Amino acid sequence: MNLNLGTAAFFTALAEFVLAAGMLALWAKGRARYLVVWGVGFLVFGVGALLLILRDRIPDFFSILLGNFLTTLSSVLFYVGICLFFDRRRAWLPWMAGLLAVEVALLACFSYVTYDTSARVYVYGAAQSVIALMTLQALCTMGRGRGGNSNPEVVVVALLALLVHGARLVGTPFFPVPQDFLASGNFQTLLAFGLKLTHIGYALAFGNMHAAALHADLRAALAHIEAKAHQKVEILGYIGHDLRAPLATIGGYASLLLADAHDTQRKHLLTIQRSVKYQLHLIDELLEYAKAELQPLTVHPVTTDLPRLLDDISDYAVALCAQRNNRFRYHPSERMPREIGLDGKRMQQVLLNLLSNAAKFTRDGVVTLSVTARPEGRACVLSFAVSDTGIGIDMSRSIDIFGAFQQMHPASGSTGLGLFIAQRIVSAMGGTLGVASVAGQGATFSFTLSVPVDASDADWPVVAQRETAPGEPSPAPAMPRHAMPEDRALDELASLALQGRVTDIEHWIERHADEAAYAPFLALLVDLLERLDLRGIHALVNRPAKS
């Protein structure tokens, strides 16, 4: 094959048509205007290249004037597309239009007045070089532009285009050149192939710019959606907060009317009060949801008596295990620090969730709480494990057991939030909640935390192990008295349990839900109520410890 200028122009035209089709295909998907402009730019260059090939078969007006005009117009269209991409004013466009007019006039002069091929080459090269300089200046002015990424490779390609067109001007002296300079010699053919590679580089750079724009638009859309979701949650919080005031007023007046009401009126007023309390409960759930969404879960480490905390948790665990005839074992380290820096309420929440699950899915078995303490400089590494001999978990199932509302055993009637909450708290404390289980052989949930401690391990007190068999009285009371409401409230609860008034027990729990000191007692009470174990509720109320 003879690699002359005609051959180079032919392959250049084919490449330009392919690039144009690619740009227009991208436009068909996203309808971005700059893609159309770039696609038309490649298309007109391809048409101009074909006209140059046919210059011996068609008039000079088409092969020289129109052909060179179209190839120069493609560079102008590339500039326009770049301005559209960055959404900037096309300041150089009038100058480029004027330059195109001057180029056409000079090409006509050197074709019809004075036939000078070398002069036409220099006119064409000069016009393309000036347009490349204008494009480079515009790119530098636009800076990083759209999406924080102006794709610097387009600057490199524009520089390459400037070099290719500039080579036409500096390759030989200006006018003393062979008259057949355009068609003869390998220099112009090499430059033609270089120009084709430059346009391929333009296409790749434009494609990368479009991809960067899509990614930037996607990030902006996601940020907008997150902001809208945050705004909706705020609105829910405002609505819930404002609804409490009128409902509280209704409930307050209903309480005042109860004092002088006869039996029939009393019945109606109590119905109103129950409805108000139910609505307040729903609003509180809404506010809790809004608070959880707007504020990440936080922990507040304070000085905590670790042995006492674990003893209290063990007391609750004994009551939980007794409901399904389970044995409870507490296996602490022989020595354990007295005071540590830990959020005791959060730790209690985690361990009670794990112990409640273990007791719920085990019958006539063993539930074990193991705690080991190991000194590490000024800190103590605590390892916690809650294991059971219950039904276990089939770990081969592709389910995230720590996800919200994941119910491993739907028949249990649980909400599926316990493990999710426990995992969030442990993560906030700097640990990771793990699980090991075999279906039918029980499960073990464990995590490790590093907490600050003041005393050296030599001063750590000795901690005794503990085991309670089913049906045996607990070595410590089932529920410490300081963790329970006043006697009058407990008497009311015992009476409701004896009468089987489940709904009223729910309302009783709602009235005391805001009292943090009673949280363990209420958690145990809710668990008993979910099982409709009214006898267990009555027994729990009548077995408090003495403070």
Side-chain angles (χ1 to χ4, degrees):
M1 179 182 291
N2 184 17
L3 295 179
N4 55 23
L5 191 59
T7 304
F10 174 75
F11 283 108
T12 298
L14 288 181
E16 297 293 328
F17 291 147
V18 171
L19 297 177
M23 287 293 159
L24 294 176
L26 289 176
W27 170 81
K29 293 181 178 180
R31 301 290 176 178
R33 287 191 302 161
Y34 54 84
L35 291 173
V36 174
V37 176
W38 287 335
V40 174
F42 289 118
L43 182 63
V44 298
F45 193 96
V47 173
L50 283 180
L51 292 175
L52 292 174
I53 296 171
L54 301 173
R55 72 177 198 162
D56 294 331
R57 301 180 183 179
I58 59 176
D60 288 347
F61 174 80
F62 293 103
S63 64
I64 296 177
L65 297 184
L66 186 59
N68 283 281
F69 170 79
L70 290 177
T71 53
T72 306
L73 177 62
S74 70
S75 299
V76 176
L77 291 174
F78 290 162
Y79 164 78
V80 173
I82 290 170
C83 291
L84 287 174
F85 177 84
F86 290 108
D87 195 21
R88 299 298 177 88
R89 188 170 63 90
R90 295 174 286 279
W92 285 114
L93 188 57
W95 294 92
M96 290 182 179
L99 186 62
L100 279 173
V102 172
E103 179 193 18
V104 171
L106 291 175
L107 288 175
C109 176
F110 292 120
S111 296
Y112 297 107
V113 179
T114 302
Y115 192 88
D116 193 332
T117 302
S118 59
R120 292 198 303 269
V121 172
Y122 284 113
V123 168
Y124 173 77
Q128 288 278 24
S129 298
V130 172
I131 292 174
L133 282 172
M134 292 177 177
T135 303
L136 281 170
Q137 188 277 337
L139 285 169
C140 294
T141 302
M142 292 170 189
R144 296 193 64 81
R146 179 172 177 169
N149 186 3
S150 65
N151 227 318
E153 57 261 36
V154 74
V155 178
V156 175
V157 177
L159 280 171
L160 181 60
L162 177 62
L163 291 175
V164 171
H165 291 298
R168 296 177 185 271
L169 303 177
V170 299
T172 58
F174 181 62
F175 276 108
V177 293
Q179 290 296 311
D180 201 19
F181 181 71
L182 185 62
S184 66
N186 294 325
F187 184 66
Q188 290 295 324
T189 303
L190 181 63
L191 290 179
F193 277 110
L195 187 58
K196 179 176 71 173
L197 294 176
T198 301
H199 276 224
I200 293 174
Y202 263 131
L204 293 175
F206 291 158
N208 286 340
M209 290 167 66
H210 179 57
L214 291 178
H215 289 154
D217 291 343
L218 178 60
R219 288 193 297 269
L222 290 175
H224 178 72
I225 291 172
E226 290 178 357
K228 286 293 184 182
H230 191 274
Q231 187 179 35
K232 289 178 181 178
V233 172
E234 285 184 338
I235 292 173
L236 286 177
Y238 298 151
I239 292 174
H241 183 270
D242 292 342
L243 283 176
R244 286 189 63 89
L247 285 173
T249 303
I250 294 171
Y253 277 110
S255 298
L256 292 175
L257 292 172
L258 273 174
D260 301 323
H262 53 71
D263 291 342
T264 302
Q265 293 174 333
R266 186 177 183 85
K267 180 179 179 181
H268 294 328
L269 290 170
L270 288 173
T271 301
I272 292 174
Q273 281 194 324
R274 283 196 296 269
S275 298
V276 168
K277 290 175 181 177
Y278 177 69
Q279 291 297 324
L280 288 173
H281 173 68
L282 294 179
I283 291 171
D284 287 340
E285 287 186 346
L286 183 65
L287 291 174
E288 284 298 319
Y289 167 77
K291 182 179 179 181
E293 289 294 316
L294 294 174
Q295 298 178 354
L297 187 146
T298 58
V299 294
H300 302 284
V302 295
T303 301
T304 302
D305 187 330
L306 181 61
R308 180 177 179 180
L309 173 66
L310 294 174
D311 282 342
D312 288 345
I313 292 172
S314 298
D315 291 340
Y316 308 143
V318 170
L320 289 170
C321 292
Q323 297 169 18
R324 298 177 70 87
N325 200 41
N326 292 312
R327 182 187 299 271
F328 174 70
R329 292 173 179 169
Y330 170 44
H331 290 171
S333 293
E334 182 179 356
R335 290 181 176 273
M336 196 171 292
R338 171 69 66 186
E339 294 183 343
I340 61 173
L342 182 74
D343 190 332
K345 291 183 179 179
R346 291 294 192 187
M347 176 56 65
Q348 183 171 266
Q349 190 177 358
V350 171
L351 292 178
L352 283 180
N353 264 312
L354 298 178
L355 289 166
S356 177
N357 279 345
K360 186 183 300 182
F361 298 116
T362 305
R363 179 181 290 277
D364 300 324
V366 179
V367 175
T368 304
L369 169 61
S370 301
V371 184
T372 61
R374 174 172 55 85
E376 192 175 83
R378 301 284 296 176
C380 171
V381 177
L382 295 174
S383 298
F384 299 87
V386 174
S387 57
D388 62 72
T389 58
I391 58 179
I393 302 171
D394 184 1
M395 302 301 290
S396 63
R397 294 169 59 191
S398 56
I399 296 179
D400 178 14
I401 65 172
F402 297 113
F405 304 107
Q406 289 289 351
Q407 295 176 305
M408 297 305 297
H409 304 286
S412 67
S414 63
T415 62
L417 284 172
L419 291 178
F420 171 71
I421 293 171
Q423 191 269 345
R424 284 191 65 198
I425 295 174
V426 171
S427 295
M429 288 181 168
T432 301
L433 184 59
V435 58
S437 180
V438 176
Q441 300 182 25
T444 298
F445 289 86
S446 59
F447 59 95
T448 299
L449 301 175
S450 179
V451 297
V453 60
D454 292 332
S456 65
D457 56 315
D459 299 326
W460 291 1
V462 176
V463 180
Q465 295 189 359
R466 173 177 177 181
E467 181 171 345
T468 304
E472 291 183 3
S474 170
M479 182 62 60
R481 182 63 188 88
H482 67 270
M484 301 172 69
E486 60 183 9
D487 291 341
R488 182 178 178 182
L490 292 177
D491 291 341
E492 179 189 1
L493 179 60
S495 176
L496 295 175
L498 284 176
Q499 298 174 42
R501 295 162 61 180
V502 174
T503 302
D504 289 330
I505 294 176
E506 291 176 346
H507 295 158
W508 187 96
I509 294 173
E510 292 169 11
R511 292 203 306 270
H512 297 85
D514 293 334
E515 302 176 42
Y518 307 148
F521 174 76
L522 294 176
L524 183 56
L525 184 58
V526 168
D527 190 76
L528 290 170
L529 187 61
E530 286 180 352
R531 303 171 186 278
L532 296 179
D533 187 358
L534 299 177
R535 181 177 299 178
I537 293 175
H538 187 268
L540 176 67
V541 171
N542 288 285
R543 284 195 299 149
K546 296 182 180 179
S547 299

